[in-house]
Coordinates of all heavy atoms in Angstrom, one line a residue:
G36 N -29.0 -43.4 -9.4 CA -29.8 -44.5 -9.8 C -30.8 -44.1 -10.8 O -30.9 -42.9 -11.2
A96 N 6.9 -7.8 -30.9 CA 8.1 -8.1 -31.4 C 8.1 -8.8 -32.8 O 8.9 -8.4 -33.6 CB 8.9 -9.1 -30.4
V136 N -17.7 -24.0 -3.4 CA -19.0 -24.2 -2.9 C -19.3 -25.7 -2.7 O -19.0 -26.5 -3.7 CB -20.1 -23.6 -3.8 CG1 -21.5 -23.9 -3.4 CG2 -19.9 -22.1 -3.8
G162 N -6.7 -27.7 -25.3 CA -6.3 -26.8 -26.4 C -5.2 -25.9 -26.2 O -4.3 -25.6 -27.0
P216 N -25.1 -40.9 -25.0 CA -24.7 -39.7 -25.8 C -23.8 -38.8 -25.0 O -23.6 -39.0 -23.8 CB -26.0 -39.1 -26.1 CG -26.9 -39.5 -24.9 CD -26.4 -40.9 -24.5
A240 N -4.2 -39.5 -15.7 CA -3.1 -39.8 -16.6 C -2.7 -38.6 -17.3 O -1.5 -38.4 -17.6 CB -3.6 -40.9 -17.5
F251 N 10.4 -32.1 -18.7 CA 11.3 -32.3 -19.8 C 11.5 -31.1 -20.7 O 12.6 -30.8 -21.1 CB 10.7 -33.5 -20.6 CG 11.7 -34.2 -21.4 CD1 12.6 -35.1 -21.1 CD2 11.8 -33.8 -22.8 CE1 13.5 -35.7 -21.9 CE2 12.7 -34.4 -23.7 CZ 13.6 -35.3 -23.1
I279 N 10.5 -19.0 -14.0 CA 9.1 -19.2 -14.4 C 8.8 -20.6 -14.8 O 7.7 -21.1 -14.5 CB 8.9 -18.3 -15.6 CG1 9.0 -16.7 -15.2 CG2 7.4 -18.4 -16.2 CD1 8.9 -15.8 -16.4
G280 N 9.7 -21.3 -15.4 CA 9.5 -22.7 -15.7 C 9.3 -23.5 -14.5 O 8.6 -24.5 -14.4
L291 N -1.9 -31.8 -10.1 CA -2.0 -33.3 -10.2 C -2.6 -33.7 -8.8 O -3.5 -34.6 -8.8 CB -0.6 -33.9 -10.4 CG -0.6 -35.4 -10.3 CD1 -1.5 -36.1 -11.2 CD2 0.9 -35.9 -10.5
L350 N 15.3 18.4 -23.3 CA 14.5 19.2 -22.3 C 15.3 20.1 -21.5 O 14.9 21.2 -21.3 CB 13.7 18.2 -21.4 CG 12.9 18.8 -20.3 CD1 11.7 19.6 -20.9 CD2 12.3 17.7 -19.4
S382 N 40.0 37.6 -32.0 CA 41.0 37.4 -31.1 C 41.8 38.7 -30.7 O 42.4 38.8 -29.6 CB 42.0 36.3 -31.5 OG 42.6 36.8 -32.7
K393 N 27.9 30.1 -40.7 CA 26.7 29.8 -41.5 C 26.9 28.4 -42.2 O 27.9 28.1 -42.8 CB 26.6 30.8 -42.6 CG 25.4 30.6 -43.5 CD 25.3 31.7 -44.6 CE 24.0 31.4 -45.5 NZ 24.0 32.4 -46.7
P415 N 18.9 40.1 -42.8 CA 17.5 40.0 -43.3 C 16.6 39.6 -42.2 O 17.0 38.8 -41.3 CB 17.7 38.9 -44.4 CG 18.9 38.1 -44.0 CD 19.8 39.0 -43.3
L428 N 10.4 41.8 -26.1 CA 9.9 43.1 -25.6 C 8.8 42.9 -24.6 O 8.7 43.5 -23.5 CB 9.3 44.0 -26.8 CG 10.4 44.4 -27.7 CD1 9.7 45.2 -28.8 CD2 11.3 45.4 -27.0

Side-chain angles (χ1 to χ4, degrees):
V136 171
F251 196 82
I279 297 175
L291 173 60
L350 179 60
S382 59
K393 179 181 179 182
L428 294 176

